[in-house]
Amino acid sequence: MQRNLLWAAIALVGATAVLLVVPIWFLNADQYQALATGVQALGVTVALVFGAGTLLSDTRNRRVDRALALHAELTTGDVQAARVRLLLRLQATREEGKVRPVSLDRLRTDGEFAAYADPAQGRPIRDANVVLRHFDRVNAARVAGIVDLPFLHELIGVHALWWDRAITRDENEPLLRRGLAELATWVERHSRTEARGAHYLEGWARYLRRDFAEPGEDPAALR
């Protein structure tokens, strides 16, 4: 879009030059002054349109950048480390290496889930909170409209669905999981309304069968 705006600006400058230079040879002073005033007014109008188009393009670029930043935060640093530790812990509770969905309460109190083999890694509940807080930020950005939604769906959607399955919804603690639950619900709804939605949900169903011990309802059936 920015390239199109640049070419439009070049064309505008060229047309303005022609309108102002060529009539010098054919118009008297009063006629030329009237023409110059009209061209100036037209130039101001077009400049305003050009500026608005540039602003819209810049705004979308910023929304894309925010989506990229949220994805980078999810897949690097503290959030990524917390995701990997918790994933390995949930896999370790099954002989076949499948992920076993677990509630926040069990992560706090159940001896099977509440601690890592290496105490230096901290506690699973802490890592779960790190992951959930990240999805809170993603969902808040979505609700506020400051990220590009199709791009956010592509980058983070499947991660939200995966963790919404891994950390089970708990009616006793709705606030702690509200951001993730709302984000996962939006991802499924967005998938159903897009042309690629069927393929997206079918791919997600394959993730369920591959990663989880008890896949439950197949999201492909939600189409």
Side-chain angles (χ1 to χ4, degrees), residues 46-147:
V46 175
L48 289 174
V49 173
F50 177 79
T54 302
L55 179 61
L56 288 173
S57 177
D58 181 66
T59 299
R60 184 181 185 280
N61 289 341
R62 289 177 182 274
R63 292 199 298 266
V64 168
D65 287 343
R66 292 188 187 104
L68 283 170
L70 288 168
H71 180 259
E73 181 185 344
L74 176 67
T75 55
T76 60
D78 292 341
V79 180
Q80 169 70 352
R83 289 199 308 139
V84 171
R85 283 192 299 265
L86 189 54
L87 165 63
L88 294 176
R89 185 70 190 91
L90 298 181
Q91 284 179 324
T93 62
R94 293 277 183 172
E95 293 182 0
E96 68 272 27
K98 298 279 189 174
V99 175
R100 188 172 178 180
V102 63
S103 68
L104 291 173
D105 184 62
R106 294 191 71 184
L107 282 175
R108 292 192 193 94
T109 62
D110 192 325
E112 188 178 9
F113 296 101
Y116 291 122
D118 181 2
Q121 292 185 323
R123 300 180 61 217
I125 186 62
R126 177 189 176 278
D127 286 337
N129 283 329
V130 170
V131 173
L132 291 175
R133 296 294 77 78
H134 170 77
F135 286 116
D136 281 343
R137 292 190 290 276
V138 174
N139 190 56
R142 175 189 69 84
V143 172
I146 61 173
V147 291

Side-chain angles (χ1 to χ4, degrees), residues 3-19:
R3 180 175 297 179
N4 292 337
L5 289 172
L6 177 61
W7 283 113
I10 293 173
L12 172 63
V13 171
T16 301
V18 171
L19 288 173

Side-chain angles (χ1 to χ4, degrees), residues 25-61:
W25 306 101
F26 304 102
L27 302 178
N28 61 39
D30 291 337
Q31 291 173 328
Y32 183 80
Q33 180 62 39
L35 174 65
T37 301
V39 170
Q40 182 180 21
L42 176 62
V44 170
T45 301
V46 175
L48 289 174
V49 173
F50 177 79
T54 302
L55 179 61
L56 288 173
S57 177
D58 181 66
T59 299
R60 184 181 185 280
N61 289 341

Side-chain angles (χ1 to χ4, degrees), residues 123-203:
R123 300 180 61 217
I125 186 62
R126 177 189 176 278
D127 286 337
N129 283 329
V130 170
V131 173
L132 291 175
R133 296 294 77 78
H134 170 77
F135 286 116
D136 281 343
R137 292 190 290 276
V138 174
N139 190 56
R142 175 189 69 84
V143 172
I146 61 173
V147 291
D148 185 82
L149 294 181
F151 203 46
L152 186 74
H153 180 270
E154 286 290 322
L155 291 175
I156 297 181
V158 71
H159 296 284
L161 292 174
W162 197 97
W163 283 102
D164 188 56
R165 174 66 182 163
I167 303 176
T168 60
R169 302 191 185 193
D170 188 344
E171 293 181 356
N172 296 322
E173 297 181 288
L175 292 179
L176 294 177
R177 286 192 80 274
R178 183 174 66 183
L180 176 57
E182 290 182 356
L183 187 62
T185 299
W186 170 77
V187 170
E188 292 185 355
R189 185 171 63 248
H190 185 85
S191 298
R192 290 195 296 269
T193 59
E194 296 298 313
R196 296 177 57 195
H199 301 293
Y200 191 94
L201 291 173
E202 288 170 0

